[in-house]
Amino acid sequence: MTSKKDLILETALKLFAQNGFSATSTSKIAKAAGVSEGLIFRHFENKEGLLHAILEMGRIKGMALFEGVTNFQKPEDQLKYILQIPFNIRKDELPFWKLLYALKWQSDNYDEEPSNQLKPIVIAIFSQLEYPKPELEAEFVLMLFDGMATAVLLKKIKKSKAIEDLILNKYNIHD
Amino acid sequence: MTSKKDLILETALKLFAQNGFSATSTSKIAKAAGVSEGLIFRHFENKEGLLHAILEMGRIKGMALFEGVTNFQKPEDQLKYILQIPFNIRKDELPFWKLLYALKWQSDNYDEEPSNQLKPIVIAIFSQLEYPKPELEAEFVLMLFDGMATAVLLKKIKKSKAIEDLILNKYNIHD
DNA sequence: TACATTTGTAAGTGATTACTCACTTTTTTA
DNA sequence: TAAAAAAGTGAGTAATCACTTACAAATGTA
């Protein structure tokens, strides 16, 4: 049985991802979750607190994703894993990632972008692969990563697998 | 002398880009522009109308940018021109592009994304360059384009010129 | 069981929201 | 120059905003 606190969290996440933070009122969240509006403030102090709870909840889930790279030894496999991340986002976690990517366009406060955590990892990979300028190549990959994630989250992609293969080919990684 | 209508337009653009559409009230716009709030509604009917006027104003400015590709004959030069667009955004047009990119995360209504207009052009280029799968390669370039634009608009880029050269090199285009 | 704590609600609060209206000032046109 | 049209204002409007408060129900603990 999910507690009402979790119910509020999940409902708010969906609505924030769908309509944006500012455009989603606490009364709408309460109504959608089937709880009284006051309960939101009992559990989360204020609307910002609710957002931070969602972000924290998701950040932990997200960390695990990036740590998955340690399952691979060879830098080629690690790079492959990272490049495939955007295409392997779980459907039920889509709202969270959409919210995260949308938030970075609103004020600088919410810039917990995946790329930030990912950067040192990617630099290390290109160093091992003996690229002449690992930092630069990493910056490029993260830009590409952003573009891929955007395409997936906004459902702009038709042949997901074909695009995935094309990208892997560019770095000479194959299935 | 700029008319008060244009003044409202420019002020709203800045505020929308800075804080988002929903988080920017008409009263704030009026105050920032130094006009009465009622004037906004005389000129633009409602808040949505104001947004649409901004989008239309910018769309025309943006079209010119994409048509610049016709100044080049060789497909290599055309591709180079397109890949450089995100790095050549004029400072005074930054708020507009930021707003445009932010809006596509809020509801599907505002998806006048640059990529959409750019896609057929890029496909044509890769066809001329005799790439085996022009549509796929175009889709890739547009994803990359999105990532580049995001990096530039959110000021996540340090060595802009270095990154620019790296990308051009990947497509065997040099200065 | 008794009492303390947590969880939950309903009805508020003042402030702010998008928008309207009655009116004046400025500009255009005949 | 006189009338018409357009531009602009300031004080409203009801609705909604984030948030509070007083109180009741449920739960934990001795």
Side-chain angles (χ1 to χ4, degrees):
Chain A
M1 186 201 85
T2 52
S3 69
K4 296 208 172 183
K5 188 177 177 182
D6 292 341
L7 215 160
I8 290 170
L9 226 41
E10 284 168 29
T11 307
L13 169 55
K14 270 182 213 162
L15 293 180
F16 285 161
Q18 244 169 53
N19 310 85
F21 176 72
S22 303
T24 306
S25 68
T26 49
S27 86
K28 278 181 200 158
I29 296 168
K31 212 165 283 179
V35 300
S36 67
E37 195 178 352
L39 192 57
I40 293 174
F41 295 92
R42 165 140 336 244
H43 281 308
F44 304 101
E45 191 173 347
N46 53 34
K47 200 184 165 188
E48 283 272 330
L50 178 53
L51 177 59
H52 276 81
I54 290 171
L55 256 29
E56 184 54 24
M57 183 185 68
R59 202 183 56 81
I60 291 162
K61 275 200 275 182
M63 286 285 280
L65 204 65
F66 295 141
E67 280 169 8
V69 79
T70 58
N71 292 336
F72 301 92
Q73 314 299 325
K74 287 190 286 182
E76 291 91 349
D77 291 336
Q78 294 182 337
L79 181 59
K80 181 180 168 187
Y81 173 77
I82 287 172
L83 288 173
Q84 284 178 324
I85 287 178
F87 300 103
N88 292 335
I89 298 176
R90 280 174 44 192
K91 263 195 199 114
D92 61 311
E93 287 181 353
L94 249 143
F96 169 72
W97 292 109
K98 195 176 169 190
L99 174 61
L100 203 68
Y101 268 82
L103 277 175
K104 65 177 176 183
W105 293 95
Q106 319 250 109
S107 84
D108 317 296
N109 305 355
Y110 305 113
D111 203 353
E112 313 194 20
E113 216 199 335
S115 312
N116 294 335
Q117 308 173 35
L118 219 41
K119 190 163 189 177
I121 302 172
V122 180
I123 292 178
I125 291 174
F126 283 120
S127 294
Q128 284 185 264
L129 291 173
E130 293 180 333
Y131 271 61
K133 292 171 185 170
E135 304 88 3
L136 214 59
E137 194 72 36
E139 215 163 329
F140 172 80
V141 163
L142 292 181
M143 275 176 22
L144 182 58
F145 187 93
D146 245 38
M148 293 190 295
T150 301
V152 169
L153 291 173
L154 296 181
K155 295 172 187 179
K156 291 198 179 305
I157 273 188
K158 295 161 207 160
K159 298 155 274 180
S160 169
K161 191 78 189 80
I163 274 279
E164 196 179 329
D165 290 341
L166 182 79
I167 292 168
L168 294 182
N169 269 321
K170 287 192 184 286
Y171 279 100
N172 297 317
I173 338 175
H174 311 91
D175 286 311
Chain B
M1 187 201 84
T2 52
S3 69
K4 296 210 171 182
K5 189 177 176 182
D6 292 340
L7 215 159
I8 291 171
L9 226 40
E10 285 167 29
T11 307
L13 169 54
K14 270 182 213 161
L15 293 181
F16 285 161
Q18 245 169 54
N19 311 96
F21 176 72
S22 303
T24 306
S25 67
T26 49
S27 85
K28 278 181 199 158
I29 296 168
K31 214 165 279 179
V35 300
S36 68
E37 196 178 351
L39 191 56
I40 292 174
F41 295 91
R42 168 140 329 244
H43 282 307
F44 303 101
E45 191 175 345
N46 53 34
K47 200 185 165 188
E48 282 271 329
L50 178 53
L51 178 59
H52 275 81
I54 290 171
L55 257 29
E56 184 55 23
M57 182 184 70
R59 202 183 55 82
I60 291 162
K61 276 200 275 183
M63 286 286 280
L65 203 65
F66 295 142
E67 278 169 9
V69 79
T70 59
N71 292 336
F72 302 93
Q73 314 300 326
K74 286 189 285 182
E76 291 89 351
D77 292 336
Q78 293 182 337
L79 181 59
K80 181 180 168 186
Y81 173 78
I82 287 172
L83 288 174
Q84 283 179 324
I85 287 178
F87 301 103
N88 293 333
I89 297 175
R90 280 173 44 191
K91 265 197 196 109
D92 62 311
E93 286 182 352
L94 249 143
F96 168 72
W97 292 109
K98 196 176 167 189
L99 174 60
L100 203 67
Y101 269 81
L103 276 175
K104 65 177 174 181
W105 292 96
Q106 319 250 110
S107 83
D108 318 295
N109 306 352
Y110 305 114
D111 204 354
E112 313 193 20
E113 217 198 335
S115 313
N116 294 336
Q117 308 173 38
L118 219 41
K119 191 162 190 179
I121 302 173
V122 180
I123 291 178
I125 291 174
F126 282 120
S127 293
Q128 284 185 264
L129 289 174
E130 293 181 333
Y131 271 63
K133 291 172 185 169
E135 305 88 3
L136 214 60
E137 194 73 36
E139 214 164 329
F140 173 80
V141 163
L142 292 181
M143 274 175 23
L144 181 58
F145 187 94
D146 243 38
M148 291 190 295
T150 302
V152 169
L153 292 172
L154 296 181
K155 295 172 185 178
K156 291 198 178 301
I157 274 189
K158 295 161 202 160
K159 298 156 273 178
S160 169
K161 191 81 188 78
I163 275 279
E164 195 179 330
D165 289 342
L166 181 79
I167 291 167
L168 294 183
N169 270 322
K170 286 191 185 288
Y171 280 99
N172 297 317
I173 338 175
H174 311 93
D175 287 312

